[in-house]
Amino acid sequence: MYTEKVMDHFTNPRNVGEIENANGVGEVGNASCGDIMRIYLLVEDNIIKDIKFKTFGCGAAIATSSMVTEMVKGRTLAEALEVTNKAIAEALGGLPPVKMHCSNLAADALKRAIEDYQAGQAS
Amino acid sequence: MIELRKVYLDHSATTPVRPEVAELVREYMTRCFGNPSSVHSFGREAKAGLTKAREQAAGAIGAHTEEIIFTSGGTEADNLALRGAAYAYANKGKHLITSAVEHHAVLDTCKELEKEGYSLTVLPVDEYGLIRMNDLRRAITPETILISVMHVNNEVGTIEPIEEIGALAKERGILFHTDAVQSLGKIPIDVKKMNIDLLSASGHKIYGPKGTGFLYAKRGIKLHPLVFGGGQERKLRPGTENLPGIVGLGLAAALAVREMDMETARLQKLRDYMIKEILEKINDVQLNGHPDIRVSSNVNISFKYVEGESLLLSLDMKGIAASSGSACTSGSLDPSHVLTAMGICHEVAHGSVRMTLGHDNTEEDIKYVLEALPPIVDRLRAMSPLYQQNRKECAGCTLKK
Ligand SMILES: Cc1ncc(COP(=O)(O)O)c(C=O)c1O
Ligand code: FES
């Protein structure tokens, strides 16, 4: 049911955990099945220096979380905001149709975390 | 490379066909291939096989041979029982009673009948998945024609009080159907003693072929057929019989009942050992279903803060096959209706894993599972944003939709 890439990211997820001095945190719950993902960002000079995640969810949710962190680490915030859930799914070699919603979780959590960072900067 | 150990713990989903059953099925596909309706020797030989299978099926539940209708499985047996009786007795009343924890083959059929103009009461269950007799008594109206409550629940293994239900139904003159798909061969069944009017059984849960099953319908009970054609199965299930499947089902049922006492005792020991060890070794877990009023093969445990599908995937990588009531595994993305009906919150249902034991499982297998499980749970919990947040257990069930 899952591609090798998905299984790889599920088995050896990249960037799991928390960042103690994070300056952006985003948490989203999945309306479809009730899962939760949290992303921690450390942003310096508009660049994502470090990113970590924690996810409570299915194999696809964990794999997309892992993948999104890999895709945006070292990127500018503007670049990170362009990452869509479709792009994440594609980077994983595709997801089963019933699991597409799980990739929304990752994209949304990232967006929230960036918004949280930007709100912190504005104040 | 050493081969990965394989441990199949999903016997409530399906079972492997026993070699002696497979052998017989093959014989009835190749050598005894006749049509039981034919007059010649090929037909007579086939007919003899059909008759024997009917005796075996009837014998397994204390029924008469003419009370057995072979079907394509448990689902069809449930449909024929419910719709067949509902249509045949519509002139007597149009109220049906069932329980919230039934298999979809019963629940969805009842809901379909509701759309067709029948009224339906779905009995709630307690925290263990048991219906309460008082709820049932209160639900009965002069219009009630049928009560359908399963014998053993397929997800949590809870054994419903079917003997009491049978007695009550008899006293009130209401038909009683039970889905015995998960109890046949595991718990003694005597349809006469238990006052069961209609009973569904399935072959592939008892080491028989898939796509086989039967409905027991007590003598004198009228059923409306769901399909029309030839005169087979007293016109209640027309069409040339799936003879290879039927003889396989018959033998599987006979063997299951013959070996029941020994196998039940063996599995119960394994089950209790497994439950005890998991509850002791891993924190924040809970047993789903009743601790004692439980079928010998079922272990259902919720590992809090972990999602079931990711647990299943991890177990599968260790060669261990199980299933889950998690929303993420359901296709519909809803958590198990059984766990929900038992009042188990979304968060805990999410982390539920069902492991169902069977013939091939040994103590070694269970030890292997008990060793594999804790590191898997630890790994997933370390990834979970829900773990170690000092949140109160199920605080407000944050995960509710
Ligand atoms: C309680 C119960 N009823 C009915 C069925 C359906 O049986 P079958 O697969 O033979 O149609 C099952 C099997 O999943 C079951 O567990
Ligand atoms: S997170 Fe629930 S289905 Fe993927």
Side-chain angles (χ1 to χ4, degrees), chain B residues 17-37:
Chain B
V17 174
R18 298 175 64 130
E20 58 270 59
V21 170
E23 190 49 47
L24 187 70
V25 171
R26 190 187 143 80
E27 176 125 339
Y28 274 82
M29 285 181 152
T30 51
R31 205 174 57 76
C32 317
F33 64 88
N35 186 328
S37 302

Side-chain angles (χ1 to χ4, degrees), chain B residues 12-13 72-76 78 102-106 150 152-155 179-182 200-205 210-213 354:
Chain B
S12 286
S72 65
T75 302
E76 192 192 336
D78 285 337
E102 296 300 309
H103 190 271
H104 284 296
V106 167
M150 68 201 316
V152 165
N153 183 272
N154 46 302
E155 290 190 31
D179 177 331
V181 166
Q182 296 288 350
S200 307
S202 174
H204 72 108
K205 312 281 187 185
K210 294 174 181 52
T212 67
R354 179 187 76 171

